[in-house]
Amino acid sequence: MPNRCCKGFYSYFASANAVNQYAPHVVIEPKHLDIQLKIGDLKDKRLEATVTITFEHGGQALIKNKKDLSSAVLNAEGFLYLRIEGASHSYDGHQIQLSWPEPFEKNVQRKVTVKYVIDHPVAGLYFQNEDSLITDKDCCWAITDHETEKARHWLPTIDFPTIRTTLTWSISAPAQYTSLANGSLLSEHTENGITTTRWELKYPCPSYLICFAVGEFTCVDAGQVDGRPIKYYSARSYAPADIKRTFDETPDMMRWLQAKLGVPFPWPKYYQIALPAIRGAMENISLVTWSDICIMDEKLVKERKYVIDTINVHEMAHTYFGDLLVIRHFEHVWLKESWAQYMESCWLQDNLSEDDFRYEMVMNAQSYIKECNKDYMRPLVTRVYDSSWDLYDSHTYPGGAWRVHMLRSILGDDAFWAGVKSYIETFSAKTVQTSDFQTSLERASGLNLTRFFDEWVYSKGYPQLKGSYNYDLSQGTVQITISQSQINSEIPLFAFDLDIELVDNKGRKYNKTLTFDREASATASFALPDKDSQPMILRVDPNFTVLHTLDMTPDQRILENTATRAEDVPNRTWAYAELIKSGAYSALKYVEEHIFDEPFYGVRSQVAALLAKQKSALALKILAAMVKREKNPIALVHVVAACQIQEDCLRNAILDLLSRAVELPYRAHAAALVSLAAQRNNADIEYLLQVAKDDKKIGQHAIIRGGALKALGYHRSIDCFKYLLDHVGYNIEPVRARAQAIHGLKYSAEHQDERFQKLAVEALAKIVRDPNLNVRMAAVEALVGLKAKDLYHDVEDSRYLYSKDEQSWLDRKLYELYQSGSTPDKSTQDRIEKLEERVRKLEEKLQQLASHA
């Protein structure tokens, strides 16, 4: 599952009640599942199942505890009409307790058959809703999505990754439906209008990777790679050209991945299917599932192809990291998710450019550090958590990807990739834990990596560096001192080497390496060869090997030259950030004169956000010019989204952009509507309402409609508020736009009087039981934001709609709701905003006076 699609941020990681979590025993272990499913009309959201489970003793020798040798526990949520053959049992609605009269002996197998009905499951198995698709409300389908512990909602299983089984499938459904599942197709037979499809997976598979899909699908056949069929599926309403456009890099990615890792692709097929129920994407063995929001038409592809391709690589990388090698338990989730995240960057490095690779890693660092600074900081590997789902955060994905990259930098490419190949081959078809990965790299390189893993994997935090830069013109020397400032009782002093490169005005390069072993500070001194030589460009960590932050402000001339002439994206971005952060008029003028010559879109995107944060008149003038001049569709949405500040120049730039709305990509169009609304100009109300009502401007996946509804909230006007109030309910707006509408209503309500706030809370209270998970989660978030403490029990009563692994999220929201205080009234908020605006204008005047002094 990709980072872009997983859960939202939390204000803390583990609650006070969190305890160490451990993998289950495997004394009596399921080895094979024979799954027989009977499905009628998919609109009934019901299936009949017969699952025969083959058990055997999982150890090398028999243990003395006879109870453990004669019992097993299966997870099974909400099964109806349960019947079991082959063992005695009890069932409490959540777990099936199995027992045998005689203990298991070595090499003895026993079969247990479980017959049951699943009807309107809470999670794990999803059916279409009436608002699932915009263009085809009659399309029927069912699909599974299990990560982390959701298979139990339709399948009797030990729902943890350490338990893996081979699979056989028999799916009987009306002939108009297509049936897909893990493994190889054995047969397909139709009789009396019912088609029975049989599949087989010979490779041991954990429950979270088991998958089937049934429905009315469009199929695109992409041929074969090394004899393995490649096919793409989605709901019948999607055009084959859009499906193909979305997944068209898949064959080349498969060839690249095998070559990169040196290990043949293990699955008999590689199918991908995109449907509305999927949250992001999921790496099920040989049948990868996607959210249909990833499907791209000719316009969306301009701004999303880059992202969708990296998600595609991410899921395919799980073939090796997560599927072929399965984590022993959830504390080791970085061995699959961090790796998949890092392979996205490696794909960019090998197939696009070094700039794309480094920028992706910059974004990874920013995402991880933001979570550390805003929400919580934890070790990468920890057993203390409330829910397995909590571990799927920015520590695991981008934070872990950086740990993998640092290991590659320490070992060097030859030793690193040799160690990775050995790791995959050694532990193929086995479960792995972090020490296995460490041992494989140590054997390949001869290095002792214990300290690295102690500091970077089993401890929390990262190096927070502070630097001083001193240039002595008379002596021709530059001295740079770097100190680690994060040191306290919980965050260690990290050991690493930090390279520094100085370039003089004649293009000569000077390189030094600062070594942090057990010292908090290190100093590099550079002696220039003659009086005519001056420092011009400074690159810290030019080879991009260490995760860190750096607080250092060299001379403005150094920053200017680094921003425009440094060879790498990270240092150009850093230099622009320091120039803008300084707020100096001369520094901003330099940015204005040079940013449009910056060749890489990512640097321009970063600069736009930094200018918006700086907020001076000149900064916003530059930002407005960037809106008008940006041509890259990927950068445009970021530049436009940065314009949510009341300023005439920004409003004029956005209006000019919207005058060409027909040409705009969807996401840039949506962002422009929100930024226009943030200007809160009454002259724009009619236009914003018109776009929100225009069914010709919905956009693929309702992207424009969602932006328009969110924009109504950001305008804060009572007319826009009332429109949102009438449009957040079920099946009024396209389902993909509803979370945006809810966010807009919450934002607007925060700026209305008490009477209208109550109306918003009443509307949101009805949505906390919405059938769509994303919509009801948005409603809960909105109630928390509005501090609707009186709705605590309404939110609590919706717990039955959430799977076990999602309930820790609900617990956090309930805690925040319970702790919420009163919200400042509208008049107080208005006074605060007016004071902030006056302060900003005074600062601008002072800056202008200083520039003319």
Side-chain angles (χ1 to χ4, degrees):
M1 177 172 286
N3 180 41
R4 302 171 182 87
C5 312
C6 62
K7 63 173 183 58
F9 293 117
Y10 295 155
S11 56
Y12 62 88
F13 176 69
S15 71
N17 297 322
V19 297
N20 283 350
Q21 308 272 6
Y22 299 98
H25 297 306
V26 289
V27 179
I28 306 302
E29 185 178 6
K31 288 295 186 179
H32 180 78
L33 300 181
D34 179 66
I35 305 169
Q36 299 181 39
L37 306 178
K38 293 182 180 180
I39 298 171
D41 188 340
L42 285 169
K43 292 181 180 178
D44 294 336
K45 302 181 181 180
R46 174 187 173 97
L47 64 77
E48 297 179 17
T50 300
V51 178
T52 300
I53 309 169
T54 302
F55 289 92
E56 70 178 35
H57 176 249
Q60 295 180 353
L62 297 176
I63 63 172
K64 67 178 182 179
N65 189 323
K66 301 303 182 185
K67 181 180 178 181
D68 287 345
L69 285 169
S70 58
S71 63
V73 179
L74 300 175
N75 301 110
E77 294 282 345
F79 287 20
L80 302 177
Y81 313 116
L82 180 69
R83 291 174 292 158
I84 292 180
E85 300 170 1
S88 300
H89 78 281
S90 64
Y91 179 53
D92 63 0
H94 305 287
Q95 292 182 331
I96 300 172
Q97 304 274 351
L98 297 176
S99 64
W100 291 268
E102 297 295 330
F104 273 68
E105 298 292 338
K106 288 180 62 177
N107 302 319
V108 171
Q109 293 188 342
R110 294 174 183 172
K111 293 186 178 182
V112 173
T113 299
V114 185
K115 298 181 179 181
Y116 56 97
V117 171
I118 297 295
D119 198 334
H120 287 75
V122 169
L125 171 60
Y126 303 91
F127 296 85
Q128 75 290 328
N129 291 317
E130 60 181 320
D131 65 346
S132 293
L133 294 165
I134 298 172
T135 57
D136 190 356
K137 294 184 181 296
D138 294 324
C139 180
C140 291
W141 45 263
I143 193 166
T144 60
D145 189 23
H146 295 162
E147 198 162 46
T148 54
E149 301 173 44
K150 299 182 180 70
R152 64 187 67 188
H153 288 274
W154 72 272
L155 184 67
T157 182
I158 301 178
D159 203 10
F160 299 103
T162 195
I163 304 297
R164 298 161 300 127
T165 62
T166 53
L167 305 170
T168 47
W169 297 85
S170 176
I171 305 173
S172 298
Q176 69 266 29
Y177 299 148
T178 299
S179 297
L180 306 171
N182 307 99
S184 302
L185 179 64
L186 297 181
S187 66
E188 193 171 50
H189 174 69
T190 301
E191 185 175 346
N192 298 325
I194 300 296
T195 297
T196 298
T197 309
R198 296 176 60 240
W199 298 86
E200 180 182 34
L201 180 66
K202 297 180 179 180
Y203 191 86
C205 177
S207 58
Y208 79 94
L209 296 175
I210 295 173
C211 181
F212 80 91
V214 176
E216 300 167 290
F217 303 141
T218 298
C219 174
V220 174
D221 191 331
Q224 296 184 351
V225 173
D226 300 328
R228 298 172 180 83
I230 312 294
K231 291 184 180 181
Y232 320 133
Y233 292 84
S234 190
R236 68 184 184 188
S237 57
Y238 283 105
D242 291 349
I243 299 171
K244 183 178 186 299
R245 181 182 297 112
T246 302
F247 300 117
D248 60 2
E249 295 289 340
T250 300
D252 286 342
M253 288 175 177
M254 187 179 292
R255 297 182 186 97
W256 169 80
L257 191 59
Q258 293 179 92
K260 188 74 175 177
L261 300 176
V263 180
F265 201 79
W267 312 139
K269 72 175 191 297
Y270 197 74
Y271 288 5
Q272 293 165 289
I273 181 169
L275 287 173
I278 305 303
R279 296 170 66 182
M282 187 61 212
E283 65 271 14
N284 314 294
I285 291 178
S286 77
L287 180 58
V288 176
T289 52
W290 292 66
S291 168
D292 70 321
I293 203 170
C294 296
I295 293 178
M296 301 177 292
D297 64 13
E298 291 178 335
K299 181 172 285 190
L300 185 58
V301 73
K302 297 176 183 178
E303 53 186 355
R304 292 294 282 175
K305 179 64 172 172
Y306 178 101
V307 171
I308 299 306
D309 281 351
T310 56
I311 294 173
N312 200 347
V313 169
H314 181 113
E315 301 310 321
M316 190 181 293
H318 277 308
T319 296
Y320 300 92
F321 308 106
D323 296 9
L324 197 64
L325 281 65
V326 177
I327 57 171
R328 185 168 186 264
H329 204 52
F330 296 111
E331 69 266 27
H332 304 291
V333 67
W334 82 290
L335 293 178
K336 73 185 196 74
E337 296 300 348
S338 303
W339 255 110
Q341 186 86 1
Y342 187 60
M343 292 306 290
E344 295 181 29
S345 302
C346 292
W347 163 263
L348 296 173
Q349 185 177 35
D350 291 353
N351 294 277
L352 288 183
S353 70
E354 185 68 19
D355 281 350
D356 285 283
F357 166 73
R358 293 196 178 196
Y359 184 63
E360 182 80 0
M361 293 301 292
V362 166
M363 298 299 288
N364 282 338
Q366 290 179 352
S367 178
Y368 164 68
I369 290 165
K370 178 182 177 181
E371 185 170 80
C372 287
N373 294 344
K374 180 184 176 183
D375 298 300
Y376 56 79
M377 193 179 292
R378 68 169 179 85
L380 189 60
V381 173
T382 177
R383 291 189 176 93
V384 182
Y385 52 87
D386 295 287
S387 165
S388 55
W389 194 234
D390 297 346
L391 291 161
Y392 288 66
D393 60 2
S394 289
H395 281 64
T396 289
Y397 285 85
W402 256 101
R403 271 73 176 177
V404 176
H405 177 63
M406 290 182 66
L407 286 165
R408 177 185 172 189
S409 300
I410 291 168
L411 271 67
D413 275 7
D414 289 347
F416 177 77
W417 291 113
V420 171
K421 182 175 185 293
S422 174
Y423 168 63
I424 295 171
E425 292 175 338
T426 300
F427 295 100
S428 177
K430 300 175 183 176
T431 60
V432 290
Q433 53 191 16
T434 298
S435 58
D436 298 325
F437 180 44
Q438 177 183 341
T439 298
S440 296
L441 295 185
E442 289 179 339
R443 286 175 177 170
S445 65
L447 296 175
N448 182 346
L449 298 172
T450 301
R451 184 173 181 183
F452 179 93
F453 277 77
D454 281 350
E455 293 175 356
W456 290 93
V457 177
Y458 299 114
S459 299
K460 63 175 68 173
Y462 59 92
Q464 300 172 39
L465 306 180
K466 288 188 176 181
S468 64
Y469 172 93
N470 293 291
Y471 170 46
D472 188 329
L473 177 62
S474 62
Q475 298 295 320
T477 59
V478 173
Q479 182 171 289
I480 297 171
T481 299
I482 304 289
S483 301
Q484 295 191 53
S485 64
Q486 81 286 346
I487 308 164
N488 59 41
S489 59
E490 293 187 334
I491 303 174
L493 179 68
F494 292 90
F496 61 93
D497 289 337
L498 184 71
D499 295 331
I500 298 178
E501 178 185 276
L502 190 70
V503 183
D504 69 15
N505 55 335
K506 298 180 181 180
R508 290 174 296 207
K509 295 181 179 180
Y510 310 84
N511 293 282
K512 297 282 186 178
T513 299
L514 300 181
T515 296
F516 292 89
D517 184 5
R518 303 191 184 277
E519 303 81 20
S521 298
T523 298
S525 298
F526 300 86
L528 302 178
D530 52 60
K531 293 183 179 180
D532 294 330
S533 300
Q534 296 182 358
M536 294 293 287
I537 300 170
L538 176 63
R539 299 172 68 205
V540 177
D541 193 22
N543 298 313
F544 205 55
T545 61
V546 182
L547 172 65
H548 68 277
T549 57
L550 175 63
D551 180 10
M552 181 172 70
T553 305
D555 301 342
Q556 182 171 315
R557 182 173 56 87
I558 294 291
L559 291 173
E560 290 173 351
N561 283 291
T562 303
T564 53
R565 296 171 58 185
E567 298 173 7
D568 62 299
V569 163
N571 274 293
R572 295 205 303 274
T573 302
W574 165 73
Y576 270 120
E578 292 296 331
L579 288 168
I580 295 168
K581 187 173 68 174
S582 76
Y585 188 84
S586 58
L588 290 173
K589 284 297 292 183
Y590 188 89
V591 173
E592 181 181 33
E593 292 166 0
H594 293 87
I595 188 56
F596 301 105
D597 296 324
E598 165 56 47
F600 189 71
Y601 79 91
V603 178
R604 301 194 302 274
S605 299
Q606 295 277 309
V607 165
L610 291 163
L611 291 167
K613 187 176 181 180
Q614 213 280 329
K615 287 186 181 179
S616 69
L618 180 53
L620 298 184
K621 176 189 171 186
I622 301 168
L623 181 57
M626 293 181 74
V627 173
K628 294 181 178 181
R629 295 178 62 173
E630 184 57 62
K631 302 300 180 185
N632 185 292
I634 304 175
L636 182 61
V637 64
H638 298 289
V639 173
V640 172
C643 296
Q644 296 177 22
I645 303 161
Q646 279 188 287
E647 188 71 24
D648 287 343
C649 66
L650 294 180
R651 178 173 179 266
N652 293 334
I654 296 297
L655 285 171
D656 179 67
L657 188 70
L658 286 169
S659 70
R660 306 186 301 277
V662 175
E663 306 168 9
L664 286 178
Y666 301 126
R667 297 176 73 247
H669 191 168
L673 293 171
V674 175
S675 290
L676 178 65
Q679 306 303 314
R680 301 202 294 278
N681 191 309
N682 288 336
D684 299 326
I685 294 176
E686 182 179 354
Y687 173 75
L688 292 170
L689 285 168
Q690 179 267 319
V691 176
K693 297 174 183 177
D694 191 346
D695 286 344
K696 295 180 180 178
K697 294 181 180 177
I698 293 177
Q700 191 178 27
H701 309 306
I703 294 172
I704 298 174
R705 176 61 60 84
L709 293 170
K710 180 179 177 181
L712 295 181
Y714 275 54
H715 194 277
R716 303 187 192 175
S717 68
I718 194 63
D719 289 343
C720 294
F721 172 83
K722 289 179 177 178
Y723 186 88
L724 284 173
L725 198 64
D726 293 335
H727 284 77
V728 294
Y730 180 70
N731 209 20
I732 298 172
E733 294 289 348
V735 68
R736 294 296 189 191
R738 291 184 63 208
Q740 298 279 59
I742 290 168
H743 178 75
L745 179 65
K746 171 256 180 184
Y747 185 87
S748 181
E750 289 175 327
H751 300 87
Q752 307 300 331
D753 61 31
E754 185 178 353
R755 178 168 63 97
F756 288 115
Q757 285 189 11
K758 287 183 177 179
L759 290 174
V761 168
E762 289 173 2
L764 292 167
K766 298 175 183 177
I767 307 174
V768 297
R769 295 180 301 278
D770 195 271
N772 184 280
L773 175 65
N774 291 329
V775 170
R776 64 176 178 265
M777 290 176 77
V780 171
E781 292 274 13
L783 288 171
V784 172
L786 292 173
K787 299 177 171 58
K789 190 173 181 178
D790 291 345
L791 272 293
Y792 179 94
H793 292 294
D794 294 68
V795 176
E796 169 64 33
D797 289 344
S798 70
R799 182 178 296 275
Y800 72 95
L801 292 168
Y802 295 87
S803 62
K804 172 183 172 290
D805 55 354
E806 293 166 343
Q807 289 184 11
S808 68
W809 175 86
L810 188 65
D811 290 336
R812 285 170 170 81
K813 295 300 127 182
L814 286 166
Y815 175 81
E816 292 174 23
L817 195 59
Y818 183 79
Q819 295 291 326
S820 61
S822 59
T823 305
D825 59 32
K826 180 177 182 295
S827 61
T828 303
Q829 289 177 330
D830 289 344
R831 287 198 301 272
I832 292 171
E833 290 179 1
K834 288 177 181 178
L835 285 170
E836 288 175 342
E837 180 66 15
R838 288 176 63 186
V839 169
R840 183 170 73 85
K841 289 181 177 180
L842 285 170
E843 288 175 343
E844 290 172 5
K845 288 181 180 180
L846 289 171
Q847 188 181 83
Q848 290 171 359
L849 289 171
S851 67
H852 296 298

